């Protein structure tokens, strides 16, 4: 991780102090404090960078089949059955049924 310059930390600290002094306690939020810090950083000449190097999530290529009971598409187990699903302790009656089709979507 890149070290944060002391000057940037000082600007953030000033923004948070200002936020605490000017915002009533019942109206303070983490988002409000973050927005104030961002305003101060930009106003002081610092730039904000949003990294785009993280790849977007890939869609699952594992086969899925529609549950005959709840009609939702669920993963298929290695045994060719629809995986167990539903609320904890109360699985869907379609759990474990033999998968009829193996579509990749």
């Amino acid at each position: 991780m890149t070290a944060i310059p002391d000057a940037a930390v000082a600007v953030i600290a000033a923004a948070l102090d200002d936020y605490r002094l000017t915002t009533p306690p019942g109206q303070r939020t983490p988002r409000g404090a973050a927005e104030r810090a961002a305003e101060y950083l930009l106003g002081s000449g610092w730039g904000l960078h949003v990294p785009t190097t993280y790849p977007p999530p890939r869609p699952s290529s594992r086969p899925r089949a529609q549950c005959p009971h709840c009609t939702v598409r669920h993963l298929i187990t290695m045994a060719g059955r629809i995986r167990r699903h539903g609320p904890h302790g109360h699985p869907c009656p379609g759990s474990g049924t033999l998968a009829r089709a193996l579509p990749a979507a």
Side-chain angles (χ1 to χ4, degrees):
M1 186 171 120
T2 306
I4 300 173
D6 291 338
V9 173
V11 170
I12 293 170
L16 295 177
D17 282 343
D18 181 59
Y19 183 75
R20 281 190 292 266
L21 292 171
T22 60
T23 307
Q27 296 176 3
R28 294 180 195 157
T29 63
R31 181 181 177 94
E35 287 175 352
R36 182 71 57 92
E39 290 172 11
Y40 269 56
L41 284 169
L42 290 173
S44 298
W46 292 95
L48 299 178
H49 172 71
V50 179
T52 58
T53 58
Y54 302 103
R58 293 181 298 171
S60 174
S61 60
R62 293 182 55 196
R64 296 176 180 264
Q66 185 174 356
C67 172
H69 184 74
C70 68
T71 69
V72 176
R73 295 168 61 83
H74 294 282
L75 292 174
I76 299 173
T77 66
M78 296 301 286
R81 299 189 174 277
I82 297 175
R83 75 158 178 86
R84 185 180 177 109
H85 58 279
H88 183 70
H90 302 285
C92 174
S95 294
T97 58
L98 193 59
R100 295 202 171 110
L102 301 175

